[in-house]
Amino acid sequence: MASTYMTTPSASGAAVAAPTTHSGDRLPPGVALVIGVLMVSTFIVFLNEMLLGVALPTLIADFGVSPSTGQWVTTGFLLTMAVLIPASGFVMRRFHMRTVFLVAMSLFLVGTTLAAIAPTFGLLVAGRVIQASGTAVFLPLLMTTTMRLVPVGRRGQMMAITTAVPSVAPALGPALSGLVLSALSWRWLFILMLPIAVAALALGAWKLRNTTTPEPVALDVPSLLLSAIGFGGLVYGLSLLGEASAGHSPVSPYLPIAVGLAGLVAFVLRQIPLQRRDNAFLDMRIFLRKSFVLPILVMVFVAGNGIGLLVVVPLVLTNVTGLSTLQLGLFLIPGGAAISIVAALSGRFYDRFGPRPLVVPGAIVWLAVLWFLSRVDESTSVITLILAWLVFTSAMAAMWAPLTTSAMGALRTELYPHGTAAFATVQQLAGAGFGAVFISAYTIGSGARDAGVLTTAQAESAGQAAFLTAWAIGLLVLAGALFIGRTPAPAADGTAADGAAAAEPGPVSDETVGGETASGASATAEAVCKAGAR
């Protein structure tokens, strides 16, 4: 097919290809390769987020640190992610996609190497912080690239697969950690990661090409500082809630939470004048669209329950059912696999029927499983628990991708980096916050002074309290799901009918969805193919 391609600046200055005639549903091989490389790389780096949770007792013994100090191998990672993810929108606008990928993966490699050889606990935490510095940009980069390059008729399917990564990887992290620790030392958690990360870096350097034009935006240093204070303070304060409930918190968690909230208010006020000059660190205009705000609010509770319960489930399985570290790892693996399968299927369903027929039934099933888990005791068989966890993770996957795709489709193309940064930040905050809430519920429910040493009866009561708390939070998911718009099915030509991606009623001119024409997305995709061929 003979056609002419030209690059023109969008409203934000990012390069997009000129529209051309193209099949709206066909995914060119070049785009599949780009998204595939980013997806694998994102999975690798996110696998490390919860990797050391199972290894914490070993680290405490090896380095001779207290539990409150030891938890910084995870808290430090989450803090760094929360501080840097809001900056990913600026990074993706300022630099080429290939440059961002290579620098981020190189940082991850340096951090992994330092963690593997760390002679002291302080250097181990430093390695984790460097790891997180590279990890922070990957999810926004993957989501933004998918939204920009995939034709409208295939967005649901592709976004379902891409958004499964941040839910599958943290779920598999503790599982793989348990398997490795059953035979090797904790250092092998990082050593085994090194060749995989090197391979991803080499593949990205070889195959990835630049598809956008950097914008001449300047870094607003006050916004970066306020972001660090706001998001960092919130994550730190929320992470202290569990320790505070046990009386081990070094400071009151409400102090950093208050500082964080004040920092966020100042951050938002700072962005309003900046976005008038198209130089906002995080453009607040994304929150003016109801079709974006409602899904992201529901996502707070979906991600919070899904990620936060990963802190409690190992405790319940160990103290109530008596599973070993190896058995715990094997228990969690099927749930991660179920997320991948259901996410792929839900994407196809979304492209035909929209988000609501997936999110509402998913929320109902999710709540039913949480209620069952809140009744678990010593007599509950492990097989029954495995099946319940499979259903829970499958229902979560059925909601996760449609919520993300629906929200992102409501934004104009130039706002994609800001939308993905907001989504990724919300997931980190929700995971840290809800994990702390569930640990607090677990501690209070145990009725013991030291929740680390419980009888079976106390562990049952603690686990039931945590899952009942998650069930109560899940009611908000169901309530929000009922208000998610029913998106019309894509038209025969692959374009969205009546604003499909935006999930709002009303006509859509020029076959525009989310601020981008379907033909424009296809043209961009073909431009990627030509760039890859070069």
Side-chain angles (χ1 to χ4, degrees), residues 66 91 116 132 196 202 218 258 263 385 394 409 411 413 438 454 473 479 481 507-508 525:
S66 66
V91 171
I196 302 173
L385 287 173
S394 298
L411 301 178
T413 306
F438 296 146
L454 301 178
I473 292 171
V508 179

Side-chain angles (χ1 to χ4, degrees), residues 314-323 442 451-457 459-460:
L315 296 175
V316 174
L317 293 175
T318 301
N319 296 327
V320 176
T321 63
L323 294 188
Y442 182 89
V453 182
L454 301 178
T455 65
T456 301
E460 287 178 1

Side-chain angles (χ1 to χ4, degrees), residues 50 53-54 171 174-175 307-325 328-329 331-332 389 439 442 467:
M50 305 299 291
V54 177
I307 299 174
L309 283 177
L310 287 175
V311 179
V312 173
V313 168
L315 296 175
V316 174
L317 293 175
T318 301
N319 296 327
V320 176
T321 63
L323 294 188
S324 66
T325 301
L328 177 59
F331 180 97
L332 294 172
W389 190 248
I439 284 294
Y442 182 89
F467 283 118

Side-chain angles (χ1 to χ4, degrees), residues 292-474:
F292 176 84
V293 172
L294 182 56
I296 198 173
L297 284 176
V298 176
M299 192 66 176
V300 168
F301 301 103
V302 174
N305 267 6
I307 299 174
L309 283 177
L310 287 175
V311 179
V312 173
V313 168
L315 296 175
V316 174
L317 293 175
T318 301
N319 296 327
V320 176
T321 63
L323 294 188
S324 66
T325 301
L326 176 60
Q327 292 170 328
L328 177 59
L330 295 173
F331 180 97
L332 294 172
I333 288 177
I339 293 175
S340 302
I341 296 170
V342 174
L345 296 175
S346 69
R348 292 180 178 272
F349 192 91
Y350 175 94
D351 286 330
R352 294 188 61 186
F353 303 106
R356 193 173 181 186
L358 284 164
V359 177
V360 174
I364 293 173
V365 172
W366 207 50
L367 278 169
V369 177
L370 284 173
W371 181 258
F372 167 76
L373 292 174
S374 71
R375 310 259 70 81
V376 166
D377 56 29
E378 190 179 10
S379 65
T380 307
S381 71
V382 175
I383 297 298
T384 302
L385 287 173
I386 290 176
L387 292 175
W389 190 248
L390 276 173
V391 176
F392 176 81
T393 54
S394 298
M396 181 175 68
M399 294 186 289
W400 195 298
L403 287 170
T404 306
T405 310
S406 176
M408 291 301 300
L411 301 178
R412 299 194 305 273
T413 306
E414 66 268 20
L415 293 178
Y416 286 163
H418 299 285
T420 55
F423 250 93
T425 302
V426 159
Q427 290 175 24
Q428 293 302 311
L429 288 174
F434 282 56
V437 169
F438 296 146
I439 284 294
S440 298
Y442 182 89
T443 302
I444 295 171
S446 69
R449 290 195 174 191
D450 183 4
V453 182
L454 301 178
T455 65
T456 301
Q458 289 174 325
E460 287 178 1
S461 177
Q464 290 171 1
F467 283 118
L468 188 61
T469 302
W471 177 83
I473 292 171

Side-chain angles (χ1 to χ4, degrees), residues 5-74:
Y5 296 91
M6 62 181 289
T7 300
T8 57
S10 69
S12 66
V16 296
T20 189
T21 302
H22 191 275
S23 172
D25 285 338
R26 187 167 66 87
L27 190 65
V31 171
L33 179 61
V34 169
I35 295 176
V37 171
L38 292 177
M39 193 181 306
V40 171
S41 302
T42 303
F43 180 85
I44 292 169
V45 298
F46 266 82
L47 194 64
N48 283 263
E49 184 173 2
M50 305 299 291
L51 194 65
L52 293 183
V54 177
L56 187 56
T58 304
L59 294 174
I60 291 172
D62 282 1
F63 289 109
V65 296
S66 66
S68 59
T69 300
Q71 57 91 27
W72 273 98
V73 293
T74 297

Side-chain angles (χ1 to χ4, degrees), residues 1-398:
M1 181 178 67
S3 58
T4 302
Y5 296 91
M6 62 181 289
T7 300
T8 57
S10 69
S12 66
V16 296
T20 189
T21 302
H22 191 275
S23 172
D25 285 338
R26 187 167 66 87
L27 190 65
V31 171
L33 179 61
V34 169
I35 295 176
V37 171
L38 292 177
M39 193 181 306
V40 171
S41 302
T42 303
F43 180 85
I44 292 169
V45 298
F46 266 82
L47 194 64
N48 283 263
E49 184 173 2
M50 305 299 291
L51 194 65
L52 293 183
V54 177
L56 187 56
T58 304
L59 294 174
I60 291 172
D62 282 1
F63 289 109
V65 296
S66 66
S68 59
T69 300
Q71 57 91 27
W72 273 98
V73 293
T74 297
T75 301
F77 193 99
L78 292 174
L79 266 173
T80 306
M81 291 275 285
V83 168
L84 294 182
I85 284 178
S88 62
F90 162 79
V91 171
M92 287 187 288
R93 293 176 64 193
R94 184 65 180 83
F95 302 101
H96 283 298
M97 179 186 74
R98 186 171 184 271
T99 303
V100 173
F101 173 87
L102 294 178
V103 172
M105 184 55 78
S106 297
L107 279 172
F108 177 79
L109 266 172
V110 170
T112 303
T113 304
L114 179 58
I117 64 174
T120 65
F121 184 78
L123 285 178
L124 174 60
V125 173
R128 292 284 285 168
V129 168
I130 297 173
Q131 271 190 322
S133 300
T135 302
V137 76
F138 271 97
L139 182 58
L141 182 64
L142 172 61
M143 292 174 62
T144 299
T145 303
T146 301
M147 290 296 295
R148 281 177 169 166
L149 301 186
V150 175
V152 172
R154 292 287 299 276
R155 277 186 184 165
Q157 182 182 355
M158 291 306 300
M159 283 295 286
I161 298 172
T162 58
T163 54
V165 170
S167 54
V168 173
L172 288 181
L176 295 179
S177 180
L179 293 175
V180 171
L181 290 173
S182 66
L184 301 167
S185 77
W186 62 267
R187 294 186 186 276
W188 283 93
L189 295 173
F190 301 105
I191 295 172
L192 294 174
M193 192 68 61
L194 284 173
I196 302 173
V198 169
L201 178 62
L203 183 61
W206 179 32
K207 290 295 186 180
L208 287 185
R209 296 294 182 269
N210 295 317
T211 59
T212 59
T213 301
E215 304 174 47
V217 291
L219 176 64
D220 185 62
V221 176
S223 292
L224 179 61
L225 294 176
L226 290 173
S227 170
I229 295 171
F231 294 106
L234 272 181
V235 170
Y236 179 58
L238 292 172
S239 69
L240 292 178
L241 285 176
E243 292 183 71
S245 63
H248 303 309
S249 176
V251 297
S252 170
Y254 302 107
L255 177 59
I257 288 175
V259 172
L261 289 174
L264 282 184
V265 171
F267 175 80
V268 171
L269 294 176
R270 175 73 181 172
Q271 302 316 296
I272 295 175
L274 290 176
Q275 66 192 26
R276 299 193 188 105
R277 304 193 297 271
D278 199 26
N279 196 38
F281 202 70
L282 184 65
D283 201 315
M284 295 295 112
R285 286 174 294 185
I286 60 177
F287 298 109
L288 296 178
R289 298 296 302 272
K290 177 185 175 183
S291 47
F292 176 84
V293 172
L294 182 56
I296 198 173
L297 284 176
V298 176
M299 192 66 176
V300 168
F301 301 103
V302 174
N305 267 6
I307 299 174
L309 283 177
L310 287 175
V311 179
V312 173
V313 168
L315 296 175
V316 174
L317 293 175
T318 301
N319 296 327
V320 176
T321 63
L323 294 188
S324 66
T325 301
L326 176 60
Q327 292 170 328
L328 177 59
L330 295 173
F331 180 97
L332 294 172
I333 288 177
I339 293 175
S340 302
I341 296 170
V342 174
L345 296 175
S346 69
R348 292 180 178 272
F349 192 91
Y350 175 94
D351 286 330
R352 294 188 61 186
F353 303 106
R356 193 173 181 186
L358 284 164
V359 177
V360 174
I364 293 173
V365 172
W366 207 50
L367 278 169
V369 177
L370 284 173
W371 181 258
F372 167 76
L373 292 174
S374 71
R375 310 259 70 81
V376 166
D377 56 29
E378 190 179 10
S379 65
T380 307
S381 71
V382 175
I383 297 298
T384 302
L385 287 173
I386 290 176
L387 292 175
W389 190 248
L390 276 173
V391 176
F392 176 81
T393 54
S394 298
M396 181 175 68

